[in-house]
Structures are given as structure tokens and as C-alpha cells.
Amino acid sequence: MARSGPALKLAAPLKVLAQRLAFTGLLGASVGLMVMAKAEAPIVERARMLVADAVVPVLDAVGKPIDTAARWVDTARHYADVHEENRRLREENLRLLHWQQVARNLEAENRALRDAQRVTTEPGLTFVTARVVADAGGAFVRSVLIAAGARDGIAKGQPALVPDGLVGRVGETGERAARVLLLTDLNSHVPVQIEGTRDRAILDGDNSDQPRLVFLSSGAKPQIGDRIVTSGDGGVFPPGLPVGIVVQTGDQGVRVRPFVEFHRLDAVRIVDYGLAGALPVGAPPPQPRRAR
């Protein structure tokens, strides 16, 4: 213990001196490095490039595996997306094949039913939509003038329709205009039937808002609320066109309110069913057969 005392006294000043020298040396080295970094001397530039030349291959060698791994990850993700897309397409293809088979079965069934019942398909229809330009409504005439005529394919006798139902039929044609005779006109006689019972009749216009139902089949008992549609008798109109609804029965006769609101007509569709001219406008209506 006596010998260690002088050694400690001698080491303490040396430790302090070493710390001071180390601080001074590090400070000088820092200043030197800063000066060398700012210097443009060829030797300094060469040293920087030597360091860069040594580091770049290392960085390139380290980066290649990383790039390769990244490409593998992208490829794996792409394969996964392609696999999922293929799975979805296979499911969609199966659904389409199912509906294709259903459609083929329905087509075969329809063909068999048509063959069994000898049903003939309706020929293609043509139509012209024309704007109503004048209303000739009054006490004695119920018709409208439309901005389409013979040059547009309009012919006398063709039916005029709107989405609500039958408006009437073409009574007169010009080159660029035509007159449509409404269901309510005195000269309008439309073969119709009660939709529910198929009882035939004639819808007879009398210039009132609710034309009469006349020449009813024997035993027919129309009820208020019955729908009236065209019957197709006489080849005047095709069957099934909506006409109106029964609003009055009894001793005062049967009255029908048309589905069409004639005072709101803006445009009509003139349809060519191939029946135009079958019955001249104003000719006596064909009377339905009466049951014996």
C-alpha cells in the first residue's frame, strides 16, 4: 500500500496531459479534414475519386441481390394476380356456359312450341313518330294534324298510337302532313273486344269524350272497369291494342273512357302493320258475329 501512493501521484498528471493532447489532436484532425474537403487540389480530388471507385462496386454488388429480390417479389405478385384473374375468368366462363345452355334450351322449347301450335311470327313493323301541329277538335270534328305525310311513309288507315294506347287512325294524307281521326270522332268505328271475356263489339265515336260500345256480342255483360282492346276483326287494326275502360253500363248504353288524353297530345306514332286501307275511313264497321 505504501508503494502505490507515489505511483498514483505520478500517473495523475500524465492522465491529464494525455487528455489535453487527445483533445488538441482531434481538433486539429477535424480542421484538417475540413480544409481538405474544401480544397480543390488534385490530390484531394484524386483521393475522393479513389474512395468513390472503391465504394461504388461494393454498393453495386450489394444492390444487385436487392434488385433481384424486388423483381422476384414483383413477379410473384404478378403471378398471384394472374392466378386470381384466371380463377375469376373460369368462374365467369362457367356462369356464361350455364346461361348459354339455358338459352339454348329455351330456344329449343320455343321452337318446339311454335312447331306444335303452328304459330307464325309477326312481320317486322315500321313506324313514324310525328309531332301534333294542330288540333281540329270541336263540336263536329275530332281530329289532329301531324307534321308527317306520304313522303314519310304515312298512309291512310294506319293506326296512331301513344304509350297510353290507341289514338285513332290516319284519315287523310298529304305530302308533308296528315290528319288523324280520333277515337271520339263521329266517323270513327273501331272493332274491339272486352279483354277479360273476349266479347266482341264496335267502339262507335259520337264526338263526345266517351264513345259508345255498340253491337255487343249476344250474352255479353260488360262491367264497369273492364278493359277494352282492339279485336282485329275486319283487318282494320291488329288485335290487342289498348283502347279504354268501361265507365258506364245500363239502359243508357255502354260508354268507354279512352286511355289517351286527347287534349294533351304532343306527338303520335303512326305504325304500319300492313293493314292500311283494309277498311276506308267512314265505311260501315264490320259487325261481330253473334252467338246463336
Side-chain angles (χ1 to χ4, degrees):
M1 294 298 294
R3 293 181 180 179
S4 61
L8 292 174
K9 291 180 180 181
L10 181 62
L14 293 177
K15 184 177 180 181
V16 174
L17 179 61
Q19 291 176 351
R20 291 178 179 179
L21 291 176
F23 176 75
T24 303
L26 292 174
L27 183 60
S30 300
V31 173
L33 290 174
M34 292 174 62
V35 172
M36 289 180 64
K38 296 296 182 180
E40 296 296 336
I43 187 171
V44 175
E45 182 179 354
R46 183 175 178 80
R48 287 201 301 264
M49 293 309 301
L50 288 174
V51 173
D53 290 340
V55 172
V56 166
V58 176
L59 295 177
D60 185 47
V62 173
K64 284 183 177 179
I66 297 176
D67 293 340
T68 302
R71 286 196 298 269
W72 286 350
V73 171
D74 291 340
T75 302
R77 185 181 298 110
H78 176 69
Y79 284 155
D81 293 341
V82 170
H83 178 73
E84 178 63 23
E85 182 70 13
N86 287 337
R87 184 190 62 80
R88 187 183 64 81
L89 289 175
R90 284 195 297 269
E91 292 179 356
E92 184 176 353
N93 190 36
L94 290 175
R95 288 196 298 269
L96 291 175
L97 289 175
H98 169 71
W99 287 113
Q100 182 185 37
Q101 186 61 40
V102 171
R104 288 177 176 174
N105 293 338
L106 290 175
E107 182 181 6
E109 182 179 354
N110 289 335
R111 188 184 304 110
L113 290 174
R114 287 195 299 268
D115 293 341
Q117 299 180 3
R118 296 181 180 179
V119 176
T120 58
T121 58
E122 186 176 7
L125 306 178
T126 59
F127 62 87
V128 176
T129 300
R131 187 167 57 90
V132 175
V133 295
D135 183 358
F140 303 102
V141 179
R142 296 295 176 94
S143 64
V144 293
L145 195 66
I146 60 174
R151 69 173 187 175
D152 303 300
I154 305 296
K156 189 175 181 179
Q158 291 176 341
L161 305 171
V162 294
D164 293 331
L166 182 65
V167 175
R169 58 173 168 159
V170 177
E172 299 175 354
T173 58
E175 189 65 22
R176 300 185 178 183
R179 186 173 298 279
V180 175
L181 196 70
L182 304 182
L183 292 177
T184 54
D185 189 87
L186 184 64
N187 292 312
S188 176
H189 313 287
V190 180
V192 297
Q193 65 182 358
I194 300 173
E195 189 177 48
T197 62
R198 303 295 180 183
D199 290 321
R200 300 296 204 267
I202 297 295
L203 186 70
D204 210 9
D206 59 356
N207 287 350
S208 69
D209 293 335
Q210 298 176 354
R212 298 175 300 168
L213 204 62
V214 298
F215 298 109
L216 281 165
S217 300
S218 177
K221 296 180 179 180
Q223 303 294 323
I224 293 178
D226 285 344
R227 282 173 53 90
I228 305 299
V229 298
T230 56
S231 64
D233 291 339
V236 182
F237 296 102
L241 298 180
V243 174
I245 188 171
V246 175
V247 293
Q248 176 183 309
T249 60
D251 297 337
Q252 297 180 352
V254 181
R255 292 280 178 173
V256 175
R257 184 181 69 236
F259 290 126
V260 178
E261 296 181 357
F262 298 106
H263 62 283
R264 294 185 178 180
L265 287 178
D266 294 324
V268 296
R269 176 172 292 180
I270 308 300
V271 184
D272 183 8
Y273 290 96
L275 304 175
L279 185 69
V281 175
Q287 299 185 10
R289 297 179 180 178
R290 298 179 180 271
R292 295 180 178 178

PDB file of all heavy atoms in Angstrom, residues 76-90:
ATOM      1  N   ALA A  76     -43.696 -12.581 -58.430  1.00  0.00           N
ATOM      2  CA  ALA A  76     -44.597 -13.418 -57.630  1.00  0.00           C
ATOM      3  C   ALA A  76     -45.958 -12.747 -57.462  1.00  0.00           C
ATOM      4  O   ALA A  76     -47.004 -13.409 -57.572  1.00  0.00           O
ATOM      5  CB  ALA A  76     -43.976 -13.697 -56.265  1.00  0.00           C
ATOM      6  N   ARG A  77     -45.931 -11.416 -57.242  1.00  0.00           N
ATOM      7  CA  ARG A  77     -47.201 -10.702 -57.108  1.00  0.00           C
ATOM      8  C   ARG A  77     -47.980 -10.740 -58.426  1.00  0.00           C
ATOM      9  O   ARG A  77     -49.197 -10.901 -58.438  1.00  0.00           O
ATOM     10  CB  ARG A  77     -46.935  -9.256 -56.695  1.00  0.00           C
ATOM     11  CG  ARG A  77     -48.206  -8.462 -56.410  1.00  0.00           C
ATOM     12  CD  ARG A  77     -47.932  -7.020 -56.026  1.00  0.00           C
ATOM     13  NE  ARG A  77     -47.162  -6.937 -54.798  1.00  0.00           N
ATOM     14  CZ  ARG A  77     -45.891  -6.535 -54.734  1.00  0.00           C
ATOM     15  NH1 ARG A  77     -45.243  -6.204 -55.831  1.00  0.00           N
ATOM     16  NH2 ARG A  77     -45.269  -6.478 -53.571  1.00  0.00           N
ATOM     17  N   HIS A  78     -47.255 -10.597 -59.561  1.00  0.00           N
ATOM     18  CA  HIS A  78     -47.905 -10.655 -60.864  1.00  0.00           C
ATOM     19  C   HIS A  78     -48.522 -12.033 -61.101  1.00  0.00           C
ATOM     20  O   HIS A  78     -49.658 -12.142 -61.585  1.00  0.00           O
ATOM     21  CB  HIS A  78     -46.890 -10.335 -61.958  1.00  0.00           C
ATOM     22  CG  HIS A  78     -47.436 -10.458 -63.350  1.00  0.00           C
ATOM     23  ND1 HIS A  78     -48.382  -9.584 -63.867  1.00  0.00           N
ATOM     24  CD2 HIS A  78     -47.175 -11.372 -64.328  1.00  0.00           C
ATOM     25  CE1 HIS A  78     -48.675  -9.956 -65.103  1.00  0.00           C
ATOM     26  NE2 HIS A  78     -47.966 -11.029 -65.407  1.00  0.00           N
ATOM     27  N   TYR A  79     -47.769 -13.093 -60.759  1.00  0.00           N
ATOM     28  CA  TYR A  79     -48.305 -14.443 -60.918  1.00  0.00           C
ATOM     29  C   TYR A  79     -49.550 -14.653 -60.051  1.00  0.00           C
ATOM     30  O   TYR A  79     -50.515 -15.304 -60.459  1.00  0.00           O
ATOM     31  CB  TYR A  79     -47.247 -15.471 -60.570  1.00  0.00           C
ATOM     32  CG  TYR A  79     -46.191 -15.645 -61.637  1.00  0.00           C
ATOM     33  CD1 TYR A  79     -44.919 -16.110 -61.319  1.00  0.00           C
ATOM     34  CD2 TYR A  79     -46.467 -15.356 -62.970  1.00  0.00           C
ATOM     35  CE1 TYR A  79     -43.941 -16.253 -62.303  1.00  0.00           C
ATOM     36  CE2 TYR A  79     -45.505 -15.507 -63.952  1.00  0.00           C
ATOM     37  CZ  TYR A  79     -44.240 -15.953 -63.608  1.00  0.00           C
ATOM     38  OH  TYR A  79     -43.289 -16.098 -64.582  1.00  0.00           O
ATOM     39  N   ALA A  80     -49.508 -14.082 -58.844  1.00  0.00           N
ATOM     40  CA  ALA A  80     -50.671 -14.206 -57.966  1.00  0.00           C
ATOM     41  C   ALA A  80     -51.877 -13.489 -58.557  1.00  0.00           C
ATOM     42  O   ALA A  80     -53.002 -14.010 -58.533  1.00  0.00           O
ATOM     43  CB  ALA A  80     -50.341 -13.643 -56.582  1.00  0.00           C
ATOM     44  N   ASP A  81     -51.635 -12.278 -59.131  1.00  0.00           N
ATOM     45  CA  ASP A  81     -52.740 -11.547 -59.760  1.00  0.00           C
ATOM     46  C   ASP A  81     -53.276 -12.311 -60.967  1.00  0.00           C
ATOM     47  O   ASP A  81     -54.492 -12.381 -61.183  1.00  0.00           O
ATOM     48  CB  ASP A  81     -52.264 -10.156 -60.182  1.00  0.00           C
ATOM     49  CG  ASP A  81     -51.922  -9.277 -58.985  1.00  0.00           C
ATOM     50  OD1 ASP A  81     -52.389  -9.593 -57.876  1.00  0.00           O
ATOM     51  OD2 ASP A  81     -51.185  -8.290 -59.170  1.00  0.00           O
ATOM     52  N   VAL A  82     -52.354 -12.872 -61.772  1.00  0.00           N
ATOM     53  CA  VAL A  82     -52.784 -13.632 -62.945  1.00  0.00           C
ATOM     54  C   VAL A  82     -53.572 -14.871 -62.520  1.00  0.00           C
ATOM     55  O   VAL A  82     -54.601 -15.221 -63.125  1.00  0.00           O
ATOM     56  CB  VAL A  82     -51.566 -14.028 -63.798  1.00  0.00           C
ATOM     57  CG1 VAL A  82     -51.967 -15.030 -64.879  1.00  0.00           C
ATOM     58  CG2 VAL A  82     -50.944 -12.798 -64.431  1.00  0.00           C
ATOM     59  N   HIS A  83     -53.127 -15.516 -61.464  1.00  0.00           N
ATOM     60  CA  HIS A  83     -53.840 -16.693 -60.972  1.00  0.00           C
ATOM     61  C   HIS A  83     -55.246 -16.323 -60.508  1.00  0.00           C
ATOM     62  O   HIS A  83     -56.223 -17.026 -60.822  1.00  0.00           O
ATOM     63  CB  HIS A  83     -53.047 -17.320 -59.824  1.00  0.00           C
ATOM     64  CG  HIS A  83     -53.730 -18.516 -59.211  1.00  0.00           C
ATOM     65  ND1 HIS A  83     -53.806 -19.734 -59.837  1.00  0.00           N
ATOM     66  CD2 HIS A  83     -54.381 -18.658 -58.016  1.00  0.00           C
ATOM     67  CE1 HIS A  83     -54.463 -20.581 -59.071  1.00  0.00           C
ATOM     68  NE2 HIS A  83     -54.827 -19.963 -57.972  1.00  0.00           N
ATOM     69  N   GLU A  84     -55.359 -15.215 -59.793  1.00  0.00           N
ATOM     70  CA  GLU A  84     -56.671 -14.773 -59.314  1.00  0.00           C
ATOM     71  C   GLU A  84     -57.565 -14.383 -60.488  1.00  0.00           C
ATOM     72  O   GLU A  84     -58.765 -14.691 -60.512  1.00  0.00           O
ATOM     73  CB  GLU A  84     -56.500 -13.584 -58.367  1.00  0.00           C
ATOM     74  CG  GLU A  84     -57.801 -13.006 -57.827  1.00  0.00           C
ATOM     75  CD  GLU A  84     -58.575 -14.000 -56.974  1.00  0.00           C
ATOM     76  OE1 GLU A  84     -57.943 -14.946 -56.442  1.00  0.00           O
ATOM     77  OE2 GLU A  84     -59.801 -13.825 -56.837  1.00  0.00           O
ATOM     78  N   GLU A  85     -56.976 -13.699 -61.494  1.00  0.00           N
ATOM     79  CA  GLU A  85     -57.747 -13.322 -62.665  1.00  0.00           C
ATOM     80  C   GLU A  85     -58.218 -14.555 -63.429  1.00  0.00           C
ATOM     81  O   GLU A  85     -59.366 -14.608 -63.904  1.00  0.00           O
ATOM     82  CB  GLU A  85     -56.891 -12.426 -63.569  1.00  0.00           C
ATOM     83  CG  GLU A  85     -57.596 -11.923 -64.812  1.00  0.00           C
ATOM     84  CD  GLU A  85     -58.674 -10.900 -64.513  1.00  0.00           C
ATOM     85  OE1 GLU A  85     -58.707 -10.393 -63.367  1.00  0.00           O
ATOM     86  OE2 GLU A  85     -59.488 -10.610 -65.411  1.00  0.00           O
ATOM     87  N   ASN A  86     -57.340 -15.555 -63.555  1.00  0.00           N
ATOM     88  CA  ASN A  86     -57.729 -16.792 -64.239  1.00  0.00           C
ATOM     89  C   ASN A  86     -58.855 -17.503 -63.497  1.00  0.00           C
ATOM     90  O   ASN A  86     -59.786 -18.040 -64.106  1.00  0.00           O
ATOM     91  CB  ASN A  86     -56.525 -17.718 -64.382  1.00  0.00           C
ATOM     92  CG  ASN A  86     -55.546 -17.223 -65.426  1.00  0.00           C
ATOM     93  OD1 ASN A  86     -55.915 -16.475 -66.325  1.00  0.00           O
ATOM     94  ND2 ASN A  86     -54.298 -17.640 -65.326  1.00  0.00           N
ATOM     95  N   ARG A  87     -58.774 -17.497 -62.166  1.00  0.00           N
ATOM     96  CA  ARG A  87     -59.819 -18.135 -61.373  1.00  0.00           C
ATOM     97  C   ARG A  87     -61.152 -17.416 -61.572  1.00  0.00           C
ATOM     98  O   ARG A  87     -62.202 -18.054 -61.764  1.00  0.00           O
ATOM     99  CB  ARG A  87     -59.442 -18.113 -59.894  1.00  0.00           C
ATOM    100  CG  ARG A  87     -60.432 -18.849 -58.995  1.00  0.00           C
ATOM    101  CD  ARG A  87     -60.126 -18.585 -57.529  1.00  0.00           C
ATOM    102  NE  ARG A  87     -60.270 -17.173 -57.220  1.00  0.00           N
ATOM    103  CZ  ARG A  87     -61.452 -16.582 -57.002  1.00  0.00           C
ATOM    104  NH1 ARG A  87     -62.572 -17.267 -57.084  1.00  0.00           N
ATOM    105  NH2 ARG A  87     -61.510 -15.296 -56.732  1.00  0.00           N
ATOM    106  N   ARG A  88     -61.105 -16.071 -61.575  1.00  0.00           N
ATOM    107  CA  ARG A  88     -62.330 -15.305 -61.771  1.00  0.00           C
ATOM    108  C   ARG A  88     -62.905 -15.529 -63.168  1.00  0.00           C
ATOM    109  O   ARG A  88     -64.119 -15.670 -63.348  1.00  0.00           O
ATOM    110  CB  ARG A  88     -62.053 -13.811 -61.562  1.00  0.00           C
ATOM    111  CG  ARG A  88     -63.296 -12.931 -61.580  1.00  0.00           C
ATOM    112  CD  ARG A  88     -62.921 -11.480 -61.431  1.00  0.00           C
ATOM    113  NE  ARG A  88     -62.135 -11.033 -62.564  1.00  0.00           N
ATOM    114  CZ  ARG A  88     -62.661 -10.674 -63.737  1.00  0.00           C
ATOM    115  NH1 ARG A  88     -63.965 -10.730 -63.921  1.00  0.00           N
ATOM    116  NH2 ARG A  88     -61.889 -10.267 -64.719  1.00  0.00           N
ATOM    117  N   LEU A  89     -62.016 -15.563 -64.185  1.00  0.00           N
ATOM    118  CA  LEU A  89     -62.480 -15.782 -65.560  1.00  0.00           C
ATOM    119  C   LEU A  89     -63.075 -17.180 -65.719  1.00  0.00           C
ATOM    120  O   LEU A  89     -64.058 -17.360 -66.455  1.00  0.00           O
ATOM    121  CB  LEU A  89     -61.328 -15.571 -66.539  1.00  0.00           C
ATOM    122  CG  LEU A  89     -60.854 -14.119 -66.712  1.00  0.00           C
ATOM    123  CD1 LEU A  89     -59.635 -14.073 -67.614  1.00  0.00           C
ATOM    124  CD2 LEU A  89     -61.960 -13.254 -67.283  1.00  0.00           C
ATOM    125  N   ARG A  90     -62.478 -18.180 -65.044  1.00  0.00           N
ATOM    126  CA  ARG A  90     -63.035 -19.532 -65.133  1.00  0.00           C
ATOM    127  C   ARG A  90     -64.433 -19.586 -64.529  1.00  0.00           C
ATOM    128  O   ARG A  90     -65.349 -20.211 -65.086  1.00  0.00           O
ATOM    129  CB  ARG A  90     -62.105 -20.526 -64.431  1.00  0.00           C
ATOM    130  CG  ARG A  90     -60.851 -20.879 -65.228  1.00  0.00           C
ATOM    131  CD  ARG A  90     -60.179 -22.107 -64.661  1.00  0.00           C
ATOM    132  NE  ARG A  90     -59.716 -21.888 -63.296  1.00  0.00           N
ATOM    133  CZ  ARG A  90     -58.506 -21.438 -62.987  1.00  0.00           C
ATOM    134  NH1 ARG A  90     -57.637 -21.163 -63.955  1.00  0.00           N
ATOM    135  NH2 ARG A  90     -58.156 -21.276 -61.732  1.00  0.00           N
TER     136      ARG A  90
END
